[in-house]
């Protein structure tokens, strides 16, 4: 996979080499390129130089904050996006990022993360690339607002790259982890068997794999009921609710 990140804070992603991507094996599976959006802002749309390399401007219609300029993003993404590349735009206004989406994106030949700052990117940017035939995903990590897309992109990059076949040593751990079967993962324990008066559940010491598997599934269901009932309810936003 080719991984491209466009941001006004390229130094933010130097940590990528330290995290999961640092491993030699990972280096073969993922080619990472970080781009400074301001490199495409040095020349204005009218051809005159912009020493400030401006990437934002006031919103049409008024309102607080600034919006990132479509013409600058367009020049950058024209250079970075390859045919078949997927444009991922982290935003609080996006579709939920899920383990299922991470698995889907792990098969893409290229992911391009467009990290917005300020109030976000001019809405015509995702619109243009979608109409140009690219898969474009405006994706939310959760219902909160960050100062920019970089932190969200970093999280999504880690969630996706670890699912690339061959990336993680132990493929079995990927199958068993939380959300893999739509439930939260069961509680885990290791030595000592007794710690501060708390003992590891007996069943896990029984060596009876059928009982252990049953107990773990029950624990996953109980945890999901208690912490994430939303994962258990039927699809509330069914087609009828969303369809016009
Ligand atoms: O804040 C986020 O992205 C940065 C961003 C992008 C566009 C406008 C404002 C902020 C975010 C929150 N959940 N997922 C992403």
């Amino acid at each position: 996979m080719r991984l491209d990140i466009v941001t006004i804070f390229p130094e933010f992603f130097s940590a990528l080499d330290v995290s999961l991507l640092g491993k030699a094996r990972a280096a073969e599976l993922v080619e990472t390129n970080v781009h400074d959006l301001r490199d495409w802002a040095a020349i204005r749309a009218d051809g005159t130089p912009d020493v400030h390399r401006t990437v934002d401007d006031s919103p049409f219609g008024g309102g607080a904050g600034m919006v990132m300029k479509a013409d600058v993003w367009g020049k950058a993404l024209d250079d970075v996006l390859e045919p078949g590349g997927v444009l991922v735009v982290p935003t609080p206004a996006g579709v939920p990022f899920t383990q299922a989406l991470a698995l889907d994106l792990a098969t893409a030949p290229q992911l391009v993360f467009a990290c917005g700052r300020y109030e976000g990117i001019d809405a015509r940017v995702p619109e243009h690339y979608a109409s140009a035939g690219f898969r474009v995903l405006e994706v939310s990590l959760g219902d909160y607002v960050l100062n920019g897309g970089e932190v969200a992109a970093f999280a999504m990059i880690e969630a996706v790259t670890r699912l690339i076949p061959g990336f993680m040593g132990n493929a079995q751990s990927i199958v068993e982890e939380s959300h893999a079967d739509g439930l939260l993962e069961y509680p885990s324990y290791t030595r000592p068997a007794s710690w501060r008066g708390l003992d590891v559940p007996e069943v896990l010491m029984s060596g009876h794999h059928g009982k252990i598997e049953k107990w773990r599934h029950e624990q996953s269901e109980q945890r999901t009921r208690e912490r994430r009932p939303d994962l258990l309810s039927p699809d509330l936003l069914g087609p009828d609710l969303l369809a016009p």
Side-chain angles (χ1 to χ4, degrees):
M1 174 190 288
R2 184 175 150 179
L3 195 57
D4 289 275
I5 302 149
V6 185
T7 168
I8 59 171
F9 294 113
E11 67 281 3
F12 182 91
F13 291 94
S14 52
L16 268 182
D17 300 331
V18 176
S19 76
L20 275 168
L21 289 185
K23 294 181 177 51
R25 182 178 54 245
E28 292 154 22
L29 293 165
V30 183
E31 172 209 337
T32 310
N33 311 290
V34 183
H35 310 272
D36 184 345
L37 178 68
R38 293 191 191 279
D39 290 350
W40 287 275
I43 309 288
R44 286 197 185 83
D46 63 8
T48 57
D50 175 358
V51 293
H52 301 294
R53 303 200 300 168
T54 311
V55 297
D56 64 316
D57 199 346
S58 308
F60 277 118
M66 300 289 270
V67 177
M68 298 188 98
K69 294 167 63 60
D71 57 305
V72 177
W73 273 105
K75 284 191 282 182
L77 294 175
D78 286 352
D79 282 353
V80 171
L81 263 171
E82 290 179 341
V86 179
L87 176 61
V88 182
V89 185
T91 168
V95 298
F97 184 68
T98 61
Q99 189 69 0
L101 181 53
L103 277 164
D104 174 5
L105 295 180
T107 62
Q110 180 196 34
L111 296 181
V112 178
F113 286 87
C115 298
R117 282 265 144 181
Y118 314 108
E119 299 315 303
I121 301 172
D122 187 304
R124 289 168 292 181
V125 174
E127 183 182 345
H128 166 73
Y129 287 98
S131 64
F134 288 96
R135 187 181 180 193
V136 178
L137 291 168
E138 295 186 70
V139 185
S140 168
L141 272 198
D143 296 333
Y144 42 80
V145 182
L146 303 167
N147 288 326
E150 287 78 10
V151 165
F154 207 111
M156 292 183 204
I157 287 166
E158 183 154 319
V160 170
T161 52
R162 64 190 296 279
L163 296 174
I164 293 173
F167 195 101
M168 292 278 283
N170 172 12
Q172 185 55 23
S173 67
I174 288 181
V175 171
E176 291 172 354
E177 60 195 5
S178 268
H179 298 287
D181 59 357
L183 295 176
L184 301 185
E185 193 159 309
Y186 48 79
S188 297
Y189 307 84
T190 186
R191 285 187 291 263
S194 186
W195 174 71
R196 296 189 182 178
L198 298 171
D199 297 343
V200 171
E202 276 300 313
V203 66
L204 298 179
M205 322 295 254
S206 70
H208 193 301
H209 298 292
K211 283 185 184 171
I212 291 170
E213 198 175 327
K214 181 172 178 293
W215 179 86
R216 284 176 165 172
H217 188 72
E218 286 162 357
Q219 288 294 311
S220 290
E221 288 185 327
Q222 178 185 333
R223 256 188 176 185
T224 309
R225 265 195 311 278
E226 290 166 357
R227 299 179 184 180
R228 292 294 307 277
D230 60 296
L231 292 179
L232 293 175
S233 52
D235 179 1
L236 297 178
L237 294 178
D240 51 323
L241 197 62
L242 287 178

